[in-house]
Structures are given as C-alpha cells and as structure tokens.
Amino acid sequence: MWTTTLTEIRSYFRHSDFALAIRRTLDAAYDTDDKTIIREAIEWGNTGNLFLDSGKVPDEAFIAQGDTLLTKLETMSMSHTPDSGKVFLTAKGIQKKYASGHFSLKPLDLTIHAGEVVGVVGENGNGKTTLLRILSGYLNPNAGHLNYYFNEALFLQSYQVKQEVAFIPQRIPRWYGTLKDNLHFYASANGFHGEENELMTDFMLARFGLTKFSGLTWNQLSSGYRTRFEIAKILLKRPRLLILDEPLANLDINAQQTLLNDLKVLSKSYRKPLGVVLSSQQLHEVEKIADKVLFLKNGLLLHTQTAGSESANVIEIEIKNERAELEAALSAYACEIKYNGGYYMISTPEIKSAELIRILVQSGLTVSYFRDISQSTKRFF
Amino acid sequence: MKLINKIQQHLLLNYPLVWSSRVIPATLFGLSIALILFFLFYISPVRDLNSPVFISWIFFLSLCSIISIIVYLVFLFRFNAFKFFGKLNGLQFFFQFILIFLSISIFVSWPFIPRLAGFASVYGKYSLEELSTDFDEAYVLAYQLEYTKGTAPYRISEIVIDADLEQESEEDYSNNSIRLRSFEFIDRGRFEKLEQKSDNFYLGYERLNLVCAEFDYNITLPYDLSDKIYKSLENKLVDKEAKLSRLNQLFAKYIPNYNGSVLASESSFSSDYGYEEESKVCTKYRLNEFGYEMGKYSSGLMKKGDLILLFKMWMYISLYISLFIIMFRYMSPRTFLWTLLFGFLLFIFSVIVSIIFSFESEGVLGLMIIYYLIFSLMAFSLVFTRSRNVFQGIALNLSFFFVHLFPVICGFLVTSFISAYDVDYQSRFDAILSTAEGIGLFLLLISLIFVHSRLFYKWYSLPEE
C-alpha cells in the first residue's frame, strides 16, 4: 500500500503534475512522523511552490531532490494505524425539529469510519447544515443517539467531542493577526510546542501553499486561501472527524478539485486517518471523491449512495434538437424521458450508457452534453 | 523591542495562554505609564484630595485607565484557545485569570498612583501624630500668646461634658460635623471611628475652633478632652518668651526659608469672639502659612486603614473587571449580555420586593443568599445536562461572579446579629468581614481551578437546542 502511494507520486512527476506531486510527497512525509524527513520535505515543497507560483516549470535539481526524498520514503516501512477503518461515529434515528416548526430533519441513521469521505447533498434548506451541526456536536438532536467511539471522559464528554470533531462552517469566522501567528497559536494550543510547533506550522503552510501568504492578515487573503487556512488550522488540532459545510462554495473550479483531492488523501492518511463529512452543491465533484453520498430532501434521507451500489440506468443529456426528435430516437426502447433544468434525464432499465450514446448519434441528434448519473444523486434532483 | 518580540515569539510557540493574554505588552505599557505617573506625583506638591487640580488628575487618569482597558480587551479577545476547544485544564483556566487580573490591575492602578506617590513622598518624614501634635501646639501657643494681650473670650461654664457622644447616630454626626472633627483631632485614638465617618478632615482649622471658638456652639466634650482644654487655659499667661521660642521652632520646622518671625502683622484682639477674630489671629501669627506648609505633609500621609481601603478599592475593581472578562471569554456573547440584563432586572426586582415587604438588612442579605443558592444549583445541574441553554449560562455566570461575595454576604448576615452597642462591636465586625473576605477569595481560587472552570468548559461545549 505504501509502495503504491509512492509509485503514484512518481507517476505525478512523470506527468509533470508537480503541484499534486508536491502535496502528496508532503503528505507521505507527514505520515512517516519523522521530523527530519518532514523538515526536508517542507524545504523542498516550498521551493517547488515558488516555481509553481511564478509559473515556471521546476528545474532538474528540484526533481532530483524530490526523487531522493521519495527514495528515502521508500526505505521506510509504513502501515495504516489501528484507527484505519474503525467506526468513528454512529448515529441512530437522529432527528431535529426546530421550535419555529418550519423544518425538521427526519430520523436518520449513519455510520462514519476512519478514512471515509461522506458527502451530503441536497437542495438549499433541506437539512444539510442541520445534519452537519448535529454530527459535529453543535446542535442537539430531539431524538436518537449519537455515539463517538473516541469518547472517554464522562463529565467533559462534550468538550472532548469538540476537540476530536472539527467543524468548518460555511462562513468562516474572521480571525486577527497574521496567518502564521494564527497557525502557531493553534498548534501551540493543541499541544505542539517549541520546535515541533515550528515544524507543524511550516508543514501546513507548505502543504496548503500558504508559505508566501504567511505574513498576511484576513483582509489580505482571498476566500479560497481563507478556506485553505481554515483547513490547515483545523488539521493542527489533529481531529478524528472533519466536518465541512459547503467548503467549495467560494472556490474556483481548480481550487475545488485541489481541495477535494486533499480531503480524499488526508482522510486516507497512514498516520491519522480522518473521517470526512462535507456538504456541497457540487454533486459531480463530491461524488468523485466520496465513499458515501447522502441525499437529503425536505429533511429526509432519500438515498445513500455507496460505491458500486446497484441502480437503474439514468443518463443526463443536452441536445440541440427538439424533444420530439429525442422521443422518436428512443421510441423502440422502454425508457422515461424527463426535462429537468435544461437537461433531458433518460431513465431506462435496458440501455446502458454506451449503447444510448450510439443510438443518439446514429439518430442524427446533436449531443452537446452526456453524463451517466446512474450512480449519482443528481438523479434525485 | 527586539527582545520583547523574541519573548512574545517564544510565548507564542510554547505558552499560548500567556501569549494570548497579552500580559507582556500590557504589563510593560501599563507599568511604564504607572512609573512615570509615580515619579511626576512624587515630586509634585499637589496632594490635597479636595483640590480641583488633584481631582482633575484623578478623573483624567481614570479615563485613560478605562480607554487602555478597552484597547487591551480588543487585543485580548482576538485569540482565545478556549473557544476552539484547545487542550486546557482547570489550572490553566486559573492561570489565565491571574494573567488577566495582573494586566487589568496595572491599568486600574493609574488613578490610585497620585495618592500613593504623595504618600511615598512624605512617608517617614513626619508621622501624622507628630504633625497633629505640632499643629495643636502651634495653635495653642499662638492663642496663648494672644491672650496675654487681651481678654480671654472663653465661657468655660458652657462646656458640657457628655460621655455618650459615641453612641449618637450617624445623622447626628453629620449635622454636627464641625464639632466632631474637633474631637477627632484632639483625641485621635478614642475617636478614630468618628474620624473615619468624616469625609472632610483637615489639620488645623478645627483645632483652632476647639481651642477658642467652639465653646460658642455649646459644644459637648468628653471627660479626657476637657482636661486638655483646662490645662491650655491655665498656662496662658505663663512664660511668654519660651512660648514664642517654641513657636519659632515649630514654624522653622515646617516653613521653608523661615525668616524667624512668627508675627506676620499686628492686629487687635476683640472680646467679641468669632470667625473674624480667628482669621485675624491666623493672619497675625502666620498660622495659615504654617497650616499650608504642614498640609503638604499631612495631605500625603495615610493611615494604615486608608492604605488598606485604597488597596481594597484597587483590588476589587480589578477583580470585578477580570471576572467580567473571564465570563465573556468563556461564554457566548449572547448569554453574557443576557446575564447583565438579568442581573440588572433581578436587582430592580429585589429592591421592589424589599420595599414591599419592608426588609431590614437581614432580609436583603437572606434574599441574596437564596439567589446564590438557586444560581449555584442551576449551574451544577450542568453536570446532568446534554444540551446547553441560556438560563444555565446565566446561572453559571452569576454563581461564578458572586462566589467570592457569598461568604461576605454570610459574614454581613452574622454581624447583623451582633449588637451595635457591644463594646467590641467594631473589632468583631472587622474580624468577621476580614475572615469572610479571605474565605471568599479562597473559594474563588478553588472555583477557578476545580469547579467553575469545568462548568464553563461543559457549558460552552454542549450542543445548542
């Protein structure tokens, strides 16, 4: 597994995806828990980030250094911690009804494992934030049971939960002082002192490409970098469960991809696997990285999509032609055609996606967009 | 500056609570200002508590102190390890309180510095007793010298001896404040309690009244005091040269560059004694000048009781501000504001209840004890709670804020059962209250480390309803 990880990183180098290579190498170094290796990776990562920030291609020396670093990493034997795959949280029948009576979250069961990414999707006002706030211990459910396996303290159970479960709200609260001072402070308050504090702070700065912004304040950062900072800060807490409410909302498409990949990788950490729960409107992006996707509608958990689960064929298409032409093309097959938000959604038990696109093209239809959403919660929208 | 930054960086990396309490910059700034103020007021001659200049300074320094505390709070609230659930324990909670108290107490000390600097500048030169004796002597001598020239205006037969003076009510004291101050001055030890009640105590003017004038007010004197008066009158015509020499000595002792003449002007003495005549005597014998020069020392001096009072004022103001800060820091802002509003409404409610039921002090104190017990019970119910609510938050705040006052309230209640006519009433009262204060501070310490710290952690980390 460790070898596979390092092989993947080497492939990023080969394909000149240096940004990803740097991040993954830093992650791998972090997993070793070896301070010398981590420090070396930070220095190397900062050099790489300088290249990328200036739009230049990293030079041979940098690549050679990366290769040396990976060779060192290969000599270390790594295995997943016992936490990996463990159940972090179980929710049974949790529900929430607000006093105003406008909305209620219907009874819901959920299990979150270490290293698992859970996506929560649904339209606005359907209970995503309510669910996330309940899971993170900020909101008390009216009924049901929430169990965190890492609960140890009795009296201060709720405080311990807050230490282990990190919640990043959609609107990131304002902070003061410089970015680096804040990271130092968080690291220090979470038990990293002296040199270790320096190391962890530098690591997070390098890992999230924040080194060159370390002296900046809240006002001087874009919302994307604020999100990155927030995640870096939260990770210094070494949480077991990371819950993010609409983290993609303020990010551009590249930043979204980067963040989602980061979450995926961080969740699978060798050293400290995380359970990750995130809500988003970006269905496609979330589904790409999530091990499990929950679809909420009017507070009801309508569907839980897990990787490889069976479902009917549902294809989403956009065509330049009229609906009648589409219906004519598919008249020989048992299928249902719906028009939904500018797209046609075709549900059919018998036609697979490859077959469908062949039929559409052969019928002379101009297909401008085609997506198989059989495994996606998009079909519920 | 580099050294401070280095220290700050070290604290940031190793001691986040110390760093976030901003104790280093606050202490350095606050102490620098305090030292400058101390130096300025040490060399300043203005020490009279009632002078407009002095009062203006106190007002100005209070304003500076408030502004500095606000600025300090702005920086303090920027970093709070508690609100992101850092790894904290009760001892750290207590330690943070101490650091905040330290910073706040330095800012709060500014308005007290003029008084302390004045005290320090005269401390050890003359004792209050020495000043008092010299002042008495100078006035007696001046009047005795004057008597040798004219007719004594005394109507000694009007002196009424009344040993029960101490038992008069406070209202009586205030109505007869002039004569009381006179007593106090003559026999300090015996009338110390009365002197504490007087807010307008001067060296001098009252002494003058006592020696020759207040007889016109049909003054009532205690036994031992009357002896002094008789003695001073008996000696009035004896040894004029010696008296003049002694007066010269006294003047030289206090008046800088004294030219050796006690007489500033000539004036005739009238048998119709009154304030006008007093003024003439004062002018003639430079008594005003003497009193003014002596006042530079006397106004700076403080008795042990005054120093303790000043210390307590400083300490309790700092303590209350620090308690409010801790509450705000470890509570949601909304609940904190609700607490303030609730406290105010409870006060109004209690006043109304006390009026309706005509509560004596025991009733009011009993009501406060009941309140405190209810708040404490509500706060402790957090142990069994699974979600937080604003009422428990308010109760937690109030039980925390009044934890050190609870023994004091109980102490007051106990003292209300001691008869005010007991001979040792005052000493027992003082002893009980001092003990209660000590217990209160000890309870606060215990509460900060073991009880309320955990309750605050619990409350803040509980999920909302």
Side-chain angles (χ1 to χ4, degrees):
Chain A
M1 193 67 183
W2 177 243
T3 320
T4 317
T5 305
L6 299 177
T7 310
E8 265 179 36
I9 298 172
R10 285 193 186 282
S11 76
Y12 299 141
F13 275 107
R14 277 198 305 278
H15 294 105
S16 300
D17 190 348
F18 295 109
L20 193 54
I22 290 168
R23 291 205 304 275
R24 294 299 301 277
T25 307
L26 281 164
D27 289 334
Y30 180 72
D31 274 343
T32 63
D33 208 11
D34 183 318
K35 290 187 175 64
T36 317
I37 289 280
I38 297 173
R39 176 54 71 190
E40 201 177 324
I42 292 168
E43 305 298 335
W44 174 79
N46 281 336
T47 312
N49 284 330
L50 280 177
F51 278 115
L52 298 175
D53 291 338
S54 59
K56 291 178 188 166
V57 177
D59 58 16
E60 288 301 319
F62 171 78
I63 296 168
Q65 274 181 343
D67 190 58
T68 313
L69 196 56
L70 285 173
T71 309
K72 278 185 191 171
L73 289 171
E74 277 165 349
T75 59
M76 306 177 103
S77 63
M78 290 290 297
S79 57
H80 282 292
T81 64
D83 267 357
S84 187
K86 225 173 191 176
V87 174
F88 270 174
L89 180 150
T90 53
K92 282 202 183 302
I94 53 165
Q95 52 180 302
K96 180 73 191 173
K97 191 168 187 175
Y98 288 99
S100 62
H102 289 310
F103 169 79
S104 64
L105 182 71
K106 313 291 184 304
L108 181 149
D109 294 345
L110 177 65
T111 305
I112 300 170
H113 299 83
E116 186 176 38
V117 179
V118 178
V120 182
V121 296
E123 291 166 26
N124 288 333
N126 278 264
K128 297 192 294 295
T129 302
T130 299
L131 175 62
L132 263 50
R133 279 168 55 82
I134 289 174
L135 296 180
S136 54
Y138 280 91
L139 197 61
N140 200 33
N142 297 122
H145 295 285
L146 255 184
N147 284 312
Y148 303 89
Y149 104 98
F150 38 79
N151 267 355
E152 286 156 17
L154 259 177
F155 177 71
L156 287 175
Q157 182 181 312
S158 50
Y159 195 81
Q160 196 195 13
V161 166
K162 293 283 171 56
Q163 286 183 319
E164 302 283 5
V165 181
F167 177 59
I168 301 180
Q170 188 175 355
R171 283 189 184 175
I172 295 168
R174 187 192 173 92
W175 41 267
Y176 298 91
T178 64
L179 190 149
K180 193 174 184 182
D181 277 356
N182 273 273
L183 287 180
H184 277 314
F185 181 61
Y186 265 72
S188 193
N190 283 292
F192 294 110
H193 299 302
E195 280 182 19
E196 203 180 9
N197 185 308
E198 291 270 21
L199 185 75
M200 291 310 297
T201 305
D202 288 346
F203 175 80
M204 289 301 170
L205 288 171
R207 173 62 184 79
F208 290 94
L210 293 166
T211 307
K212 70 171 182 174
F213 305 109
S214 62
L216 300 189
T217 58
W218 166 273
N219 288 329
Q220 295 164 318
L221 285 176
S222 70
S223 55
Y225 281 105
R226 285 177 196 160
T227 307
R228 283 196 206 185
F229 162 76
E230 201 65 21
I231 293 172
K233 184 181 83 175
I234 285 292
L235 289 176
L236 284 171
K237 203 174 169 177
R238 289 176 293 184
R240 311 236 192 175
L241 203 56
L242 177 59
I243 298 178
L244 307 99
D245 191 9
E246 304 276 5
L248 309 179
N250 297 317
L251 305 181
D252 61 49
I253 191 73
N254 287 331
Q256 286 178 6
Q257 294 299 330
T258 306
L259 175 65
L260 289 169
N261 282 329
D262 284 351
L263 291 176
K264 181 81 178 170
V265 171
L266 290 168
S267 73
K268 310 284 186 228
S269 164
Y270 282 81
R271 186 179 166 192
K272 189 94 180 176
L274 277 172
V276 176
V277 184
L278 76 153
S279 70
S280 180
Q281 305 286 348
Q282 317 288 331
L283 287 184
H284 184 54
E285 282 72 19
V286 170
E287 283 169 351
K288 271 205 301 188
I289 65 140
D291 301 298
K292 192 189 287 175
V293 180
L294 312 180
F295 177 73
L296 290 173
K297 188 151 193 171
N298 295 324
L300 182 71
L301 177 60
L302 210 64
H303 182 78
T304 305
Q305 183 76 48
T306 49
S309 57
E310 288 292 321
S311 58
N313 299 315
V314 184
I315 317 292
E316 191 177 53
I317 61 167
E318 187 181 2
I319 52 172
K320 303 285 183 192
N321 311 74
E322 294 299 317
R323 181 180 176 123
E325 291 175 71
L326 177 65
E327 284 174 343
L330 297 173
S331 58
Y333 305 94
C335 63
E336 187 187 356
I337 302 171
K338 281 185 193 166
Y339 189 71
N340 183 11
Y343 302 101
Y344 290 103
M345 208 155 73
I346 303 162
S347 307
T348 166
E350 56 183 72
I351 320 172
K352 297 286 178 196
S353 55
E355 176 67 7
L356 180 69
I357 198 162
R358 190 185 59 76
I359 294 165
L360 296 176
V361 171
Q362 281 179 352
S363 306
L365 298 176
T366 313
V367 181
S368 55
Y369 169 79
F370 182 95
R371 185 181 161 202
D372 184 347
I373 57 170
S374 308
Q375 298 288 324
S376 170
T377 49
K378 177 74 195 290
R379 64 189 192 274
F380 300 113
F381 280 85
Chain B
M1 203 63 194
K2 271 186 181 175
L3 179 69
I4 295 169
N5 286 339
K6 209 172 174 182
I7 293 170
Q8 284 284 82
Q9 191 64 17
H10 178 76
L11 291 175
L12 173 61
L13 296 185
N14 295 284
Y15 305 98
L17 288 181
V18 183
W19 179 79
S20 63
S21 68
R22 308 286 182 172
V23 70
I24 300 290
T27 309
L28 284 176
F29 173 71
L31 275 181
S32 308
I33 299 291
L35 286 173
I36 292 168
L37 287 172
F38 190 87
F39 174 73
L40 288 177
F41 282 95
Y42 187 86
I43 59 171
S44 163
V46 182
R47 285 170 206 133
D48 185 355
L49 292 176
N50 295 303
S51 83
V53 178
F54 193 87
I55 291 169
S56 304
W57 266 106
I58 299 292
F59 180 77
F60 173 70
L61 291 177
S62 302
L63 202 67
C64 290
S65 180
I66 290 167
I67 292 168
S68 302
I69 288 172
I70 290 169
V71 173
Y72 169 69
L73 292 184
V74 168
F75 284 98
L76 179 70
F77 289 132
R78 287 184 171 185
F79 291 91
N80 186 356
F82 170 76
K83 290 206 170 168
F84 60 81
F85 309 105
K87 296 191 190 320
L88 301 171
N89 57 37
L91 206 60
Q92 285 168 317
F93 186 93
F94 168 72
F95 189 52
Q96 179 140 89
F97 172 79
I98 294 295
L99 293 175
I100 291 171
F101 176 78
L102 184 69
S103 307
I104 291 293
S105 62
I106 289 169
F107 292 126
V108 169
S109 72
W110 292 354
F112 294 92
I113 284 175
R115 190 83 182 94
L116 284 173
F119 173 67
S121 68
V122 296
Y123 183 74
K125 287 180 180 161
Y126 306 106
S127 70
L128 203 55
E129 286 68 28
E130 187 181 358
L131 288 171
S132 169
T133 310
D134 287 351
F135 195 84
D136 285 354
E137 194 181 351
Y139 269 75
V140 169
L141 285 169
Y143 275 82
Q144 285 178 347
L145 284 167
E146 187 64 19
Y147 305 151
T148 60
K149 291 189 174 183
T151 313
Y154 311 117
R155 291 189 287 274
I156 297 169
S157 59
E158 290 179 15
I159 298 175
V160 179
I161 295 170
D162 181 2
D164 292 332
L165 184 71
E166 283 177 272
Q167 293 179 9
E168 286 183 23
S169 67
E170 200 166 323
E171 288 75 16
D172 293 332
Y173 297 152
S174 57
N175 290 338
N176 298 286
S177 59
I178 291 176
R179 79 177 194 203
L180 281 174
R181 285 202 296 276
S182 304
F183 292 153
E184 290 151 18
F185 201 78
I186 286 287
D187 198 337
R188 185 165 301 282
R190 184 178 171 84
F191 290 98
E192 196 168 4
K193 277 186 289 179
L194 303 182
E195 185 186 305
Q196 285 168 358
K197 293 183 192 320
S198 169
D199 59 354
N200 251 329
F201 180 69
Y202 291 102
L203 278 171
Y205 196 57
E206 297 76 13
R207 186 56 171 158
L208 177 65
N209 290 338
L210 177 70
V211 173
C212 57
E214 290 203 355
F215 303 159
D216 285 344
Y217 301 137
N218 194 20
I219 196 165
T220 58
L221 292 175
Y223 301 106
D224 56 347
L225 201 58
S226 60
D227 289 343
K228 287 190 180 181
I229 301 293
Y230 284 126
K231 276 181 188 166
S232 71
L233 295 176
E234 281 163 8
N235 293 332
K236 68 177 192 259
L237 296 171
V238 179
D239 204 0
K240 183 189 168 189
E241 287 308 313
K243 285 186 172 74
L244 203 58
S245 165
R246 175 62 187 150
L247 198 56
N248 261 317
Q249 275 181 358
L250 289 171
F251 278 29
K253 187 174 175 184
Y254 294 104
I255 302 174
N257 307 318
Y258 177 59
N259 63 10
S261 170
V262 296
L263 286 173
S265 65
E266 287 295 337
S267 66
S268 59
F269 199 85
S270 152
S271 58
D272 297 327
Y273 183 78
Y275 278 110
E276 193 184 334
E277 205 57 50
E278 267 181 50
S279 175
K280 281 180 185 172
V281 175
C282 288
T283 311
K284 183 178 174 181
Y285 288 95
R286 299 176 70 181
L287 289 175
N288 289 333
E289 192 185 341
F290 178 72
Y292 174 77
E293 293 298 336
M294 191 177 256
K296 287 181 182 173
Y297 298 104
S298 62
S299 61
L301 279 173
M302 280 189 286
K303 290 185 298 176
K304 191 181 166 191
D306 296 332
L307 273 172
I308 290 173
L309 183 71
L310 215 61
F311 171 77
K312 280 190 177 175
M313 277 172 68
W314 166 76
M315 190 191 80
Y316 278 112
I317 292 171
S318 309
L319 180 69
Y320 290 132
I321 295 174
S322 306
L323 288 176
F324 273 123
I325 292 171
I326 284 287
M327 274 156 53
F328 187 79
R329 203 165 166 78
Y330 289 82
M331 182 63 54
S332 71
R334 194 181 61 150
T335 308
F336 176 78
L337 294 174
W338 274 117
T339 306
L340 297 185
L341 182 65
F342 181 80
F344 177 71
L345 292 176
L346 191 67
F347 172 73
I348 302 285
F349 170 76
S350 307
V351 169
I352 294 169
V353 167
S354 303
I355 291 168
I356 292 173
F357 294 101
S358 305
F359 279 164
E360 296 289 325
S361 61
E362 291 88 345
V364 175
L365 293 169
L367 198 63
M368 289 169 81
I369 289 172
I370 290 169
Y371 285 158
Y372 188 77
L373 292 175
I374 293 171
F375 296 146
S376 299
L377 278 175
M378 280 181 73
F380 279 102
S381 70
L382 274 168
V383 175
F384 311 104
T385 309
R386 292 180 65 86
S387 66
R388 80 184 191 197
N389 66 59
V390 74
F391 298 109
Q392 279 177 322
I394 291 170
L396 176 60
N397 276 337
L398 291 173
S399 69
F400 173 66
F401 189 78
F402 288 107
V403 72
H404 75 288
L405 277 180
F406 183 66
V408 178
I409 295 167
C410 294
F412 268 116
L413 195 63
V414 171
T415 57
S416 69
F417 294 112
I418 305 172
S419 168
Y421 297 106
D422 280 4
V423 180
D424 58 348
Y425 171 77
Q426 193 62 42
S427 58
R428 286 175 69 187
F429 182 89
D430 290 344
I432 289 170
L433 280 191
S434 301
T435 310
E437 272 184 302
I439 293 172
L441 291 175
F442 178 72
L443 279 183
L444 180 64
L445 180 127
I446 296 293
S447 147
L448 281 163
I449 300 175
F450 299 109
V451 186
H452 280 94
S453 54
R454 294 169 74 85
L455 290 174
F456 273 111
Y457 289 163
K458 170 93 181 186
W459 186 87
Y460 194 76
S461 61
L462 280 172
E464 291 173 18
E465 272 300 339

